[in-house]
Amino acid sequence: MRDHLSFKPARDVAPEAIVAFWLANDISISRTDTPDALREAVHANPELFLVAIDEDDAIAGTVWGNFDGRRGFVVHLAVRRDLRGRGLGRELMDRVEARFRAMGVFRIHLFVERTNLDVIDYYRERGFEIRDDLVLMSKTFD
Ligand SMILES: CC(C)(COP(=O)(O)OP(=O)(O)OC[C@H]1O[C@@H](n2cnc3c(N)ncnc32)[C@H](O)[C@@H]1OP(=O)(O)O)[C@@H](O)C(=O)NCCC(=O)NCCS
């Protein structure tokens, strides 16, 4: 399958198509995941926000890495439903992790929703660990 896919920075893909892909492929959308917001966000870490494109020019998968100057974060890893279980998720994560390493980032974080606990084993196999020493706290502005 890999032979028929190309990998592009998200800034080279229509943001409307990316948001539609997430909605159709089990990614929880926040109010910041709008096409307008993406148009800005794709420039922050262009080499970390990747989109896999199939031979029909349709989106096959995404991974969105961010670097805040200290740690790396990964969100919105998603593979199109009909392409799952064939190594594309691994390929996307390999690519974004390689990029983080090249940037000198030594630790990356990600969030898993409690409605999606199955995916924890997937990340464990990649070397991620659950942090029992931390609790996530968030504050939402109006
Ligand atoms: C999670 C996801 C990205 C994995 O992508 P994928 O392309 O199907 O994964 P891969 O084919 O690279 O899988 C690699 C390995 O992980 C295993 N695996 C895949 N999903 C798994 C899961 N949910 N739990 C445990 N193992 C899993 C595969 O069996 C495979 O193992 P193998 O190589 O021994 O056969 C995909 O299932 C997805 O898009 N899910 C919906 C969105 C989502 O939940 N994203 C995570 C947000 S935190």
Side-chain angles (χ1 to χ4, degrees):
M1 180 184 67
R2 209 172 287 179
D3 296 342
H4 307 294
L5 295 174
S6 58
F7 294 85
K8 293 185 180 179
R11 68 178 173 196
D12 296 340
V13 180
E16 293 81 3
I18 295 174
V19 174
F21 174 83
W22 288 336
L23 286 169
N25 290 284
D26 309 304
I27 290 298
S28 298
I29 295 293
S30 152
R31 72 183 193 201
T32 46
D33 295 320
T34 63
D36 279 346
L38 275 190
R39 248 181 284 280
E40 300 292 322
V42 289
H43 298 291
N45 299 108
E47 292 168 322
L48 293 171
F49 190 174
L50 302 177
V51 179
I53 304 288
D54 72 11
E55 64 273 24
D56 299 319
D57 227 21
I59 296 179
T62 64
V63 65
W64 185 356
N66 276 292
F67 177 55
D68 67 3
R70 183 167 177 273
R71 296 281 187 268
F73 296 84
V74 176
V75 299
H76 294 5
L77 171 70
V79 169
R80 208 168 71 211
R81 285 180 178 175
D82 60 309
L83 297 176
R84 289 182 190 163
R86 295 159 65 181
L88 178 53
R90 182 187 300 120
E91 173 86 25
L92 286 162
M93 286 297 291
D94 285 349
R95 283 173 180 260
V96 80
E97 286 186 20
R99 186 60 206 148
F100 276 125
R101 282 174 185 265
M103 293 166 73
V105 176
F106 95 101
R107 178 173 288 148
I108 59 177
H109 302 302
L110 55 80
F111 307 108
V112 173
E113 290 172 313
R114 290 201 182 274
T115 52
N116 195 21
L117 293 183
D118 281 357
V119 83
I120 284 176
D121 285 342
Y122 180 78
Y123 289 123
R124 272 206 176 106
E125 282 177 24
R126 290 200 62 88
F128 285 81
E129 297 173 324
I130 291 179
R131 295 288 297 267
D132 292 324
D133 56 331
L134 295 176
V135 174
L136 176 68
M137 296 180 73
S138 305
K139 181 171 180 175
T140 305
F141 298 114
D142 293 335

